[in-house]
């Protein structure tokens, strides 16, 4: 069993959204190094739904992560079964629990991966490292744009950036 913890200056709702929204998920959920890429094949975020992701070093045979959501409690917990394979070889299978624990102005994320190594090449320490570097890619919640122009709402929604408009300032008052 592998347990990885991280703390973020965000609410549990914001962290939950980073897992549940496929647009947000694709921006940070990239196991591996910076030279790796990932592609979400499917993301049906509901109990019984699937998350399927291809990832790996660019130019090499990709890994395939096949998950089935077993339990979802909004802003608190995700549980999913996960099998990782490459080509036709199953590498690991596991039960993963992601807990979102409110800690004042921040959220502690605890990932527990009950790992079974099928091919003898993966290790618990490699999986711990992989979860750690993946969680480290979660975007900073403190990114903000302060603008009087309301047209930046689409940008904020697309990139998970909070758009703040100061009171008393508008594009009409600037004309």
């Amino acid at each position: 069993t592998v347990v990885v913890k991280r703390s973020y200056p965000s609410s549990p709702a914001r962290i939950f959204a980073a897992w549940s929204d496929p647009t947000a998920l694709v921006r940070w959920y990239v196991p591996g190094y910076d030279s790796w890429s990932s592609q979400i094949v499917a993301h049906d975020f509901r109990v019984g739904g699937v998350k399927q992701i291809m990832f790996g070093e660019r130019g090499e045979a990709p890994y395939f992560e096949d998950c089935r959501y077993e339990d979802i409690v909004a802003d608190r917990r995700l549980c999913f079964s996960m099998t990782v394979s490459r080509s036709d070889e199953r590498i690991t299978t596991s039960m993963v629990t992601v807990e979102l624990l409110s800690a004042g102005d921040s959220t502690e994320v605890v990932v527990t991966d009950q790992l079974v190594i099928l091919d003898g090449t993966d290790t618990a320490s490699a999986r711990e490292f992989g979860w750690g570097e993946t969680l480290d890619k979660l975007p900073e919640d403190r990114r903000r744009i302060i603008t009087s122009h309301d047209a930046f709402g689409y940008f904020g929604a697309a990139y998970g950036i909070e758009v703040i408009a100061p009171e008393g300032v508008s594009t009409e008052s600037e004309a």
Side-chain angles (χ1 to χ4, degrees), residues 137-159:
K137 294 174 186 173
L138 257 169
E140 287 295 322
D141 190 54
R142 301 287 183 184
R143 295 182 194 174
R144 294 185 172 98
I145 296 175
I146 300 174
T147 179
S148 62
H149 202 292
D150 55 3
F152 283 97
Y154 75 93
F155 182 83
Y159 294 99

Side-chain angles (χ1 to χ4, degrees), residues 52-145:
Q52 297 175 326
I53 297 177
M54 291 187 338
F55 65 96
E57 183 88 33
R58 291 176 184 92
E60 294 187 13
Y63 292 92
F64 185 72
E65 180 179 300
D66 187 13
C67 304
R68 181 178 185 275
Y69 290 106
E70 304 294 341
D71 184 52
I72 299 172
V73 179
D75 306 339
R76 289 187 40 218
R77 181 180 60 239
L78 310 171
C79 296
F80 52 91
S81 56
M82 176 174 72
T83 299
V84 176
S85 59
R86 192 174 199 185
S87 300
D88 291 332
E89 189 170 0
R90 292 167 47 114
I91 299 169
T92 63
T93 192
S94 55
M95 184 67 208
V96 178
T97 302
V98 179
E99 297 172 278
L100 309 176
L101 308 172
S102 182
D105 291 342
S106 64
T107 299
E108 183 178 30
V109 176
V110 180
V111 175
T112 304
D113 188 337
Q114 296 170 303
L115 173 67
V116 177
I117 299 168
L118 304 173
D119 73 342
T121 61
D122 204 351
T123 65
S125 62
R127 180 61 62 94
E128 182 177 1
F129 178 79
W131 273 117
E133 67 182 359
T134 299
L135 291 175
D136 289 343
K137 294 174 186 173
L138 257 169
E140 287 295 322
D141 190 54
R142 301 287 183 184
R143 295 182 194 174
R144 294 185 172 98
I145 296 175

